[in-house]
PDB file of all heavy atoms in Angstrom:
ATOM      1  N   ARG A 260      49.255  77.018 105.694  1.00 97.00           N
ATOM      2  CA  ARG A 260      47.905  76.492 105.957  1.00 97.00           C
ATOM      3  C   ARG A 260      47.515  75.493 104.865  1.00 97.00           C
ATOM      4  O   ARG A 260      46.803  74.531 105.124  1.00 97.00           O
ATOM      5  CB  ARG A 260      46.892  77.642 106.035  1.00 97.00           C
ATOM      6  CG  ARG A 260      47.232  78.621 107.158  1.00 97.00           C
ATOM      7  CD  ARG A 260      46.078  79.565 107.477  1.00 97.00           C
ATOM      8  NE  ARG A 260      44.955  78.853 108.042  1.00 97.00           N
ATOM      9  CZ  ARG A 260      43.709  78.918 107.583  1.00 97.00           C
ATOM     10  NH1 ARG A 260      43.425  79.674 106.543  1.00 97.00           N
ATOM     11  NH2 ARG A 260      42.738  78.231 108.157  1.00 97.00           N
ATOM     12  N   LEU A 261      48.010  75.731 103.649  1.00 97.00           N
ATOM     13  CA  LEU A 261      47.731  74.807 102.529  1.00 97.00           C
ATOM     14  C   LEU A 261      48.261  73.405 102.827  1.00 97.00           C
ATOM     15  O   LEU A 261      47.539  72.410 102.713  1.00 97.00           O
ATOM     16  CB  LEU A 261      48.352  75.375 101.253  1.00 97.00           C
ATOM     17  CG  LEU A 261      48.391  74.497 100.007  1.00 97.00           C
ATOM     18  CD1 LEU A 261      46.994  74.113  99.548  1.00 97.00           C
ATOM     19  CD2 LEU A 261      49.113  75.219  98.858  1.00 97.00           C
ATOM     20  N   PHE A 262      49.542  73.311 103.254  1.00 98.00           N
ATOM     21  CA  PHE A 262      50.075  71.953 103.473  1.00 98.00           C
ATOM     22  C   PHE A 262      49.591  71.361 104.789  1.00 98.00           C
ATOM     23  O   PHE A 262      49.298  70.178 104.888  1.00 98.00           O
ATOM     24  CB  PHE A 262      51.600  71.901 103.310  1.00 98.00           C
ATOM     25  CG  PHE A 262      52.442  72.573 104.361  1.00 98.00           C
ATOM     26  CD1 PHE A 262      52.545  72.067 105.646  1.00 98.00           C
ATOM     27  CD2 PHE A 262      53.169  73.716 104.035  1.00 98.00           C
ATOM     28  CE1 PHE A 262      53.349  72.684 106.593  1.00 98.00           C
ATOM     29  CE2 PHE A 262      53.973  74.339 104.976  1.00 98.00           C
ATOM     30  CZ  PHE A 262      54.056  73.820 106.271  1.00 98.00           C
ATOM     31  N   TRP A 263      49.467  72.191 105.843  1.00 98.00           N
ATOM     32  CA  TRP A 263      49.071  71.668 107.142  1.00 98.00           C
ATOM     33  C   TRP A 263      47.657  71.079 107.098  1.00 98.00           C
ATOM     34  O   TRP A 263      47.396  70.026 107.667  1.00 98.00           O
ATOM     35  CB  TRP A 263      49.170  72.766 108.213  1.00 98.00           C
ATOM     36  CG  TRP A 263      48.944  72.261 109.592  1.00 98.00           C
ATOM     37  CD1 TRP A 263      47.860  72.480 110.388  1.00 98.00           C
ATOM     38  CD2 TRP A 263      49.815  71.409 110.331  1.00 98.00           C
ATOM     39  NE1 TRP A 263      47.998  71.820 111.566  1.00 98.00           N
ATOM     40  CE2 TRP A 263      49.190  71.152 111.574  1.00 98.00           C
ATOM     41  CE3 TRP A 263      51.066  70.825 110.070  1.00 98.00           C
ATOM     42  CZ2 TRP A 263      49.771  70.339 112.557  1.00 98.00           C
ATOM     43  CZ3 TRP A 263      51.631  70.019 111.050  1.00 98.00           C
ATOM     44  CH2 TRP A 263      50.990  69.790 112.265  1.00 98.00           C
ATOM     45  N   ASN A 264      46.773  71.784 106.383  1.00 98.00           N
ATOM     46  CA  ASN A 264      45.388  71.318 106.281  1.00 98.00           C
ATOM     47  C   ASN A 264      45.173  70.345 105.124  1.00 98.00           C
ATOM     48  O   ASN A 264      44.083  69.829 104.939  1.00 98.00           O
ATOM     49  CB  ASN A 264      44.455  72.516 106.119  1.00 98.00           C
ATOM     50  CG  ASN A 264      44.398  73.357 107.366  1.00 98.00           C
ATOM     51  OD1 ASN A 264      44.018  72.879 108.427  1.00 98.00           O
ATOM     52  ND2 ASN A 264      44.819  74.610 107.259  1.00 98.00           N
ATOM     53  N   GLN A 265      46.242  70.128 104.347  1.00 98.00           N
ATOM     54  CA  GLN A 265      46.209  69.185 103.218  1.00 98.00           C
ATOM     55  C   GLN A 265      45.058  69.495 102.250  1.00 98.00           C
ATOM     56  O   GLN A 265      44.271  68.625 101.866  1.00 98.00           O
ATOM     57  CB  GLN A 265      46.166  67.739 103.734  1.00 98.00           C
ATOM     58  CG  GLN A 265      47.309  67.499 104.689  1.00 98.00           C
ATOM     59  CD  GLN A 265      47.690  66.046 104.841  1.00 98.00           C
ATOM     60  OE1 GLN A 265      47.653  65.273 103.891  1.00 98.00           O
ATOM     61  NE2 GLN A 265      48.062  65.680 106.048  1.00 98.00           N
ATOM     62  N   TRP A 266      44.998  70.789 101.902  1.00 98.00           N
ATOM     63  CA  TRP A 266      43.984  71.248 100.962  1.00 98.00           C
ATOM     64  C   TRP A 266      44.342  70.846  99.531  1.00 98.00           C
ATOM     65  O   TRP A 266      45.523  70.639  99.199  1.00 98.00           O
ATOM     66  CB  TRP A 266      43.896  72.779 100.984  1.00 98.00           C
ATOM     67  CG  TRP A 266      43.287  73.361 102.210  1.00 98.00           C
ATOM     68  CD1 TRP A 266      42.355  72.792 103.036  1.00 98.00           C
ATOM     69  CD2 TRP A 266      43.571  74.656 102.760  1.00 98.00           C
ATOM     70  NE1 TRP A 266      42.030  73.647 104.054  1.00 98.00           N
ATOM     71  CE2 TRP A 266      42.762  74.798 103.913  1.00 98.00           C
ATOM     72  CE3 TRP A 266      44.405  75.712 102.397  1.00 98.00           C
ATOM     73  CZ2 TRP A 266      42.773  75.955 104.685  1.00 98.00           C
ATOM     74  CZ3 TRP A 266      44.411  76.862 103.167  1.00 98.00           C
ATOM     75  CH2 TRP A 266      43.607  76.982 104.298  1.00 98.00           C
ATOM     76  N   SER A 267      43.327  70.807  98.684  1.00 98.00           N
ATOM     77  CA  SER A 267      43.519  70.711  97.234  1.00 98.00           C
ATOM     78  C   SER A 267      42.919  71.971  96.602  1.00 98.00           C
ATOM     79  O   SER A 267      41.771  72.316  96.893  1.00 98.00           O
ATOM     80  CB  SER A 267      42.801  69.489  96.663  1.00 98.00           C
ATOM     81  OG  SER A 267      43.306  68.309  97.231  1.00 98.00           O
ATOM     82  N   ILE A 268      43.707  72.626  95.775  1.00 98.00           N
ATOM     83  CA  ILE A 268      43.205  73.784  95.035  1.00 98.00           C
ATOM     84  C   ILE A 268      43.074  73.363  93.578  1.00 98.00           C
ATOM     85  O   ILE A 268      44.052  72.966  92.945  1.00 98.00           O
ATOM     86  CB  ILE A 268      44.123  75.003  95.222  1.00 98.00           C
ATOM     87  CG1 ILE A 268      44.055  75.421  96.693  1.00 98.00           C
ATOM     88  CG2 ILE A 268      43.710  76.144  94.293  1.00 98.00           C
ATOM     89  CD1 ILE A 268      44.890  76.609  97.061  1.00 98.00           C
ATOM     90  N   LEU A 269      41.840  73.377  93.081  1.00 98.00           N
ATOM     91  CA  LEU A 269      41.523  72.771  91.793  1.00 98.00           C
ATOM     92  C   LEU A 269      41.053  73.818  90.791  1.00 98.00           C
ATOM     93  O   LEU A 269      40.148  74.604  91.083  1.00 98.00           O
ATOM     94  CB  LEU A 269      40.402  71.737  91.972  1.00 98.00           C
ATOM     95  CG  LEU A 269      40.658  70.632  93.006  1.00 98.00           C
ATOM     96  CD1 LEU A 269      39.353  69.921  93.348  1.00 98.00           C
ATOM     97  CD2 LEU A 269      41.685  69.652  92.481  1.00 98.00           C
ATOM     98  N   GLY A 270      41.671  73.809  89.644  1.00 98.00           N
ATOM     99  CA  GLY A 270      41.166  74.630  88.549  1.00 98.00           C
ATOM    100  C   GLY A 270      40.222  73.810  87.690  1.00 98.00           C
ATOM    101  O   GLY A 270      40.297  72.579  87.651  1.00 98.00           O
ATOM    102  N   SER A 271      39.310  74.487  87.016  1.00 98.00           N
ATOM    103  CA  SER A 271      38.367  73.787  86.153  1.00 98.00           C
ATOM    104  C   SER A 271      37.901  74.759  85.079  1.00 98.00           C
ATOM    105  O   SER A 271      37.752  75.952  85.351  1.00 98.00           O
ATOM    106  CB  SER A 271      37.174  73.296  86.987  1.00 98.00           C
ATOM    107  OG  SER A 271      36.365  72.409  86.235  1.00 98.00           O
ATOM    108  N   THR A 272      37.694  74.254  83.889  1.00 96.00           N
ATOM    109  CA  THR A 272      37.140  75.138  82.864  1.00 96.00           C
ATOM    110  C   THR A 272      36.287  74.339  81.884  1.00 96.00           C
ATOM    111  O   THR A 272      36.637  73.194  81.545  1.00 96.00           O
ATOM    112  CB  THR A 272      38.256  75.916  82.129  1.00 96.00           C
ATOM    113  OG1 THR A 272      37.662  77.040  81.472  1.00 96.00           O
ATOM    114  CG2 THR A 272      38.993  75.090  81.091  1.00 96.00           C
ATOM    115  N   MET A 273      35.155  74.928  81.530  1.00 96.00           N
ATOM    116  CA  MET A 273      34.246  74.330  80.543  1.00 96.00           C
ATOM    117  C   MET A 273      33.982  72.858  80.885  1.00 96.00           C
ATOM    118  O   MET A 273      33.902  72.504  82.049  1.00 96.00           O
ATOM    119  CB  MET A 273      34.812  74.471  79.127  1.00 96.00           C
ATOM    120  CG  MET A 273      35.346  75.847  78.776  1.00 96.00           C
ATOM    121  SD  MET A 273      34.114  77.095  78.360  1.00 96.00           S
ATOM    122  CE  MET A 273      33.605  76.552  76.749  1.00 96.00           C
ATOM    123  N   GLY A 274      33.845  71.975  79.858  1.00 98.00           N
ATOM    124  CA  GLY A 274      33.597  70.569  80.117  1.00 98.00           C
ATOM    125  C   GLY A 274      33.983  69.741  78.911  1.00 98.00           C
ATOM    126  O   GLY A 274      34.088  70.266  77.796  1.00 98.00           O
ATOM    127  N   ASN A 275      34.221  68.448  79.137  1.00 98.00           N
ATOM    128  CA  ASN A 275      34.604  67.562  78.024  1.00 98.00           C
ATOM    129  C   ASN A 275      33.355  66.929  77.389  1.00 98.00           C
ATOM    130  O   ASN A 275      32.226  67.187  77.803  1.00 98.00           O
ATOM    131  CB  ASN A 275      35.617  66.519  78.492  1.00 98.00           C
ATOM    132  CG  ASN A 275      35.062  65.569  79.536  1.00 98.00           C
ATOM    133  OD1 ASN A 275      33.849  65.387  79.639  1.00 98.00           O
ATOM    134  ND2 ASN A 275      35.934  64.956  80.321  1.00 98.00           N
ATOM    135  N   ASP A 276      33.565  66.100  76.378  1.00 98.00           N
ATOM    136  CA  ASP A 276      32.425  65.511  75.658  1.00 98.00           C
ATOM    137  C   ASP A 276      31.547  64.652  76.570  1.00 98.00           C
ATOM    138  O   ASP A 276      30.320  64.661  76.457  1.00 98.00           O
ATOM    139  CB  ASP A 276      32.920  64.652  74.487  1.00 98.00           C
ATOM    140  CG  ASP A 276      33.384  65.502  73.306  1.00 98.00           C
ATOM    141  OD1 ASP A 276      33.355  66.733  73.407  1.00 98.00           O
ATOM    142  OD2 ASP A 276      33.776  64.905  72.280  1.00 98.00           O
ATOM    143  N   ALA A 277      32.196  63.885  77.459  1.00 98.00           N
ATOM    144  CA  ALA A 277      31.420  63.020  78.356  1.00 98.00           C
ATOM    145  C   ALA A 277      30.557  63.864  79.290  1.00 98.00           C
ATOM    146  O   ALA A 277      29.394  63.524  79.574  1.00 98.00           O
ATOM    147  CB  ALA A 277      32.363  62.115  79.155  1.00 98.00           C
ATOM    148  N   GLU A 278      31.122  64.980  79.770  1.00 98.00           N
ATOM    149  CA  GLU A 278      30.353  65.860  80.649  1.00 98.00           C
ATOM    150  C   GLU A 278      29.243  66.577  79.870  1.00 98.00           C
ATOM    151  O   GLU A 278      28.139  66.801  80.404  1.00 98.00           O
ATOM    152  CB  GLU A 278      31.309  66.863  81.321  1.00 98.00           C
ATOM    153  CG  GLU A 278      32.233  66.178  82.316  1.00 98.00           C
ATOM    154  CD  GLU A 278      33.582  66.866  82.522  1.00 98.00           C
ATOM    155  OE1 GLU A 278      33.943  67.778  81.736  1.00 98.00           O
ATOM    156  OE2 GLU A 278      34.293  66.467  83.456  1.00 98.00           O
ATOM    157  N   PHE A 279      29.514  66.928  78.626  1.00 98.00           N
ATOM    158  CA  PHE A 279      28.483  67.507  77.740  1.00 98.00           C
ATOM    159  C   PHE A 279      27.311  66.520  77.615  1.00 98.00           C
ATOM    160  O   PHE A 279      26.147  66.893  77.788  1.00 98.00           O
ATOM    161  CB  PHE A 279      29.127  67.808  76.379  1.00 98.00           C
ATOM    162  CG  PHE A 279      28.234  68.466  75.354  1.00 98.00           C
ATOM    163  CD1 PHE A 279      27.223  69.345  75.696  1.00 98.00           C
ATOM    164  CD2 PHE A 279      28.452  68.219  73.997  1.00 98.00           C
ATOM    165  CE1 PHE A 279      26.430  69.966  74.721  1.00 98.00           C
ATOM    166  CE2 PHE A 279      27.676  68.831  73.018  1.00 98.00           C
ATOM    167  CZ  PHE A 279      26.653  69.690  73.389  1.00 98.00           C
ATOM    168  N   ASP A 280      27.636  65.250  77.338  1.00 98.00           N
ATOM    169  CA  ASP A 280      26.585  64.235  77.243  1.00 98.00           C
ATOM    170  C   ASP A 280      25.816  64.108  78.556  1.00 98.00           C
ATOM    171  O   ASP A 280      24.591  63.964  78.568  1.00 98.00           O
ATOM    172  CB  ASP A 280      27.184  62.876  76.864  1.00 98.00           C
ATOM    173  CG  ASP A 280      27.531  62.807  75.386  1.00 98.00           C
ATOM    174  OD1 ASP A 280      26.811  63.399  74.570  1.00 98.00           O
ATOM    175  OD2 ASP A 280      28.534  62.146  75.046  1.00 98.00           O
ATOM    176  N   ALA A 281      26.549  64.164  79.667  1.00 98.00           N
ATOM    177  CA  ALA A 281      25.904  64.000  80.975  1.00 98.00           C
ATOM    178  C   ALA A 281      24.906  65.124  81.244  1.00 98.00           C
ATOM    179  O   ALA A 281      23.771  64.865  81.649  1.00 98.00           O
ATOM    180  CB  ALA A 281      26.961  63.946  82.076  1.00 98.00           C
ATOM    181  N   VAL A 282      25.306  66.369  80.996  1.00 98.00           N
ATOM    182  CA  VAL A 282      24.380  67.471  81.323  1.00 98.00           C
ATOM    183  C   VAL A 282      23.220  67.543  80.327  1.00 98.00           C
ATOM    184  O   VAL A 282      22.097  67.878  80.718  1.00 98.00           O
ATOM    185  CB  VAL A 282      25.086  68.849  81.470  1.00 98.00           C
ATOM    186  CG1 VAL A 282      26.117  68.812  82.584  1.00 98.00           C
ATOM    187  CG2 VAL A 282      25.681  69.334  80.169  1.00 98.00           C
ATOM    188  N   VAL A 283      23.474  67.200  79.067  1.00 98.00           N
ATOM    189  CA  VAL A 283      22.366  67.169  78.105  1.00 98.00           C
ATOM    190  C   VAL A 283      21.379  66.070  78.509  1.00 98.00           C
ATOM    191  O   VAL A 283      20.159  66.238  78.401  1.00 98.00           O
ATOM    192  CB  VAL A 283      22.874  66.997  76.656  1.00 98.00           C
ATOM    193  CG1 VAL A 283      21.717  66.738  75.698  1.00 98.00           C
ATOM    194  CG2 VAL A 283      23.641  68.240  76.220  1.00 98.00           C
TER     195      VAL A 283
END
Side-chain angles (χ1 to χ4, degrees):
R260 300 194 67 233
L261 170 61
F262 70 70
W263 187 252
N264 292 300
Q265 306 202 36
W266 289 331
S267 299
I268 294 180
L269 305 165
S271 191
T272 198
M273 314 282 287
N275 64 23
D276 284 2
E278 291 152 348
F279 183 32
D280 283 325
V282 300
V283 171

